[in-house]
Amino acid sequence: MSTVGLLRTLFNPKLLPSNVTQLQSLNRSPFLLGFLSNHEQVRNMSRVKRRNTHPGYWLSLKNVQKKDDKISADNLRFMREVIQDKYKNKSPLKVSELQIEKTEWDPKTKRSGVIARNIGRQQMWDKDGNKIVCTVLHVLDNHVIRYIPPEEYVKTSRGAIHFKNKTPLGCLVVGAEATNPEKFTRQYCNLFAEVGLMPKKTLSRFIITPNAALPPCTPITAGHFLVGQAVDVYGKTVDHGFQGVVKRWGFKGGPASHGATKFHRRGGTIGTGRDKARVWPGTKMPGHMGSERRYNRGLMIMRINMKYNVIYVKGTVPGATNSIVRIFDTLLPLRKFKEAPPHPTYFPPEDGTQKEEDIWDSRLHVFGSPSISV
């Protein structure tokens, strides 16, 4: 069958073949196979846009799009009383209907992470006098919102993509930083209706193994990690906007004198100079710099303040000051914590005793302690 006949067959149902021989000839046609499989091709070149500035399609509408009409002070006071009555009888430590068996920790366990805010950097010193620059991460009021078991999460759109040809795992939805429900839409507030918590500003999903599942309303604090443990920090890098090749890629630039005209910070030729008269994909050129989601892996925890839920991490993390980051147990095989961490998370002891208010690494010099011993 010719190409014109194939096209007529595709777009005219009256011309569909009636016998098996013609159907087999259509299936063996290379033109038809290429025509029908074209929509399944996926572009994976570097020219494809890498940033998503809009929220995911699976997220509910979060911010209120329109302003409410002006209301009197009495009505505003009444609305706030209703909100307080709705949430005052809800305890974050209530007994959940979700029955989760407690299991022991093993090296293959994948625990939940926490949501934190980068509040700056601070210098500390070890006992030999060497300076250590640490990033201070404030763990916000994290609470478990929902647990999705593996058999249900693999049926979702994101789970089907993430666990394609893999063993499915569970998903734990964690929220941080409670705020006023009046600032959010009804659809977004309904996510917290069953849990009985105030709406959270930030939501995040953590892939976990079933033995590390947590019931809803469980608080997660800085005690989720231990001093000396290596963690991975995930965040969004600083957005520098559209930049040239000198700042974006570190090019040297052109000459500053001897006839150079408007060539001081340019990148030079972008051609190959050989057989291909085109620009190769991935060539370093001016463009959008920053605003990339990145991992910093294997960062060491040097200090934990249990009173204010602050974690001091050695090194830098992605993102500017006051940005939101996620903290996980590290995936690096040589830096994984070999001892059992708080599993599935840290719970205060039943006898009422608390951890130390400030926990330091043994290699650090604690200010206030004697530096010279005789």
Side-chain angles (χ1 to χ4, degrees):
M1 185 179 293
S2 62
T3 302
V4 177
L6 287 174
L7 290 176
R8 289 179 178 176
T9 304
L10 286 174
F11 298 103
N12 192 348
K14 295 182 180 180
L15 299 179
L16 290 175
S18 58
N19 52 25
V20 180
T21 307
Q22 292 180 354
L23 283 174
Q24 293 177 353
S25 63
L26 285 175
N27 293 333
R28 289 194 296 265
S29 173
F31 172 81
L32 181 61
L33 293 176
F35 184 84
L36 294 179
S37 61
N38 187 32
H39 70 283
E40 298 179 358
Q41 295 179 1
V42 180
R43 296 183 61 187
N44 54 4
M45 296 186 295
S46 59
R47 289 176 290 179
V48 179
K49 181 180 178 182
R50 294 174 294 177
R51 297 171 186 85
N52 294 324
T53 56
H54 56 83
Y57 60 88
W58 59 87
L59 296 177
S60 301
L61 189 62
K62 182 176 181 180
N63 298 325
V64 177
Q65 300 298 319
K66 63 180 180 179
K67 296 182 179 179
D68 296 332
D69 298 334
K70 293 183 179 180
I71 59 177
S72 62
D74 294 337
N75 291 336
L76 181 61
R77 192 181 305 109
F78 173 74
M79 292 177 57
R80 292 179 178 175
E81 290 178 358
V82 171
I83 293 175
Q84 292 178 2
D85 293 339
K86 181 179 179 181
Y87 292 102
K88 70 177 181 180
N89 295 327
K90 305 284 187 173
S91 173
L93 299 178
K94 69 177 183 179
V95 179
S96 174
E97 298 178 357
L98 183 64
Q99 300 295 332
I100 299 177
E101 298 180 0
K102 293 184 178 181
T103 57
E104 297 183 358
W105 179 86
D106 59 83
K108 295 183 179 180
T109 299
K110 196 169 185 179
R111 299 191 307 154
S112 171
V114 299
I115 305 173
R117 186 182 297 275
N118 179 8
I119 59 176
R121 276 149 290 280
Q122 184 175 348
Q123 298 176 357
M124 292 188 289
W125 284 262
D126 61 6
K127 295 182 178 179
D128 295 333
N130 300 318
K131 183 174 66 175
I132 301 175
V133 179
C134 296
T135 304
V136 186
L137 303 177
H138 179 210
V139 179
L140 308 174
D141 54 339
N142 286 222
H143 286 90
V144 178
I145 306 300
R146 186 179 296 110
Y147 170 66
I148 306 175
E151 55 272 10
E152 295 182 10
Y153 185 64
V154 74
K155 298 178 182 179
T156 61
S157 58
R158 301 298 300 176
I161 297 174
H162 190 80
F163 295 109
K164 186 178 181 180
N165 301 328
K166 296 181 181 178
T167 303
L169 298 177
C171 175
L172 201 69
V173 182
V174 179
E177 203 168 5
T179 184
N180 188 3
E182 298 177 0
K183 298 181 180 180
F184 300 98
T185 60
R186 181 182 299 177
Q187 295 85 350
Y188 185 76
C189 293
N190 287 339
L191 299 176
F192 308 89
E194 298 179 358
V195 189
L197 292 172
M198 297 285 283
K200 303 284 186 176
K201 288 184 179 180
T202 307
L203 287 177
S204 183
R205 294 177 299 184
F206 299 101
I207 305 300
I208 62 173
T209 51
N211 63 340
L214 290 170
C217 297
T218 303
I220 304 178
T221 61
H224 188 72
F225 301 103
L226 297 177
V227 171
Q229 180 181 357
V231 294
D232 298 341
V233 181
Y234 173 80
K236 194 174 184 180
T237 59
V238 179
D239 188 3
H240 295 276
F242 193 96
Q243 297 295 332
V245 293
V246 174
K247 183 174 181 179
R248 191 185 187 198
W249 301 109
F251 282 15
K252 181 181 178 181
S257 60
H258 297 286
T261 303
K262 299 180 180 179
F263 198 71
H264 308 297
R265 298 176 67 86
R266 293 199 174 188
T269 179
I270 58 175
T272 59
R274 300 193 65 174
D275 53 345
K276 298 294 184 181
R278 64 186 181 91
V279 179
W280 286 94
T283 302
K284 295 180 179 179
M285 297 176 67
H288 197 141
M289 178 181 176
S291 188
E292 299 278 2
R293 292 175 173 84
R294 291 287 182 264
Y295 279 96
N296 271 15
R297 299 191 183 277
L299 303 181
M300 196 69 63
I301 296 179
M302 307 301 296
R303 177 184 173 189
I304 295 179
N305 188 290
M306 295 294 296
K307 181 179 180 180
Y308 299 103
N309 279 335
V310 174
I311 299 177
Y312 296 77
V313 176
K314 182 180 179 181
T316 59
V317 302
T321 303
N322 206 34
S323 61
I324 298 294
V325 297
R326 277 79 172 172
I327 311 175
F328 310 85
D329 295 336
T330 185
L331 297 179
L332 301 181
L334 299 181
R335 295 193 181 184
K336 283 187 176 181
F337 207 61
K338 298 181 180 179
E339 300 180 6
H343 176 73
T345 187
Y346 170 74
F347 294 100
E350 297 180 357
D351 55 359
T353 59
Q354 299 291 336
K355 271 190 174 183
E356 301 179 29
E357 181 178 328
D358 215 354
I359 307 173
W360 295 68
D361 190 272
S362 59
R363 295 167 291 182
L364 292 178
H365 169 67
V366 181
F367 291 96
S369 61
S371 57
I372 299 177
S373 60
V374 179

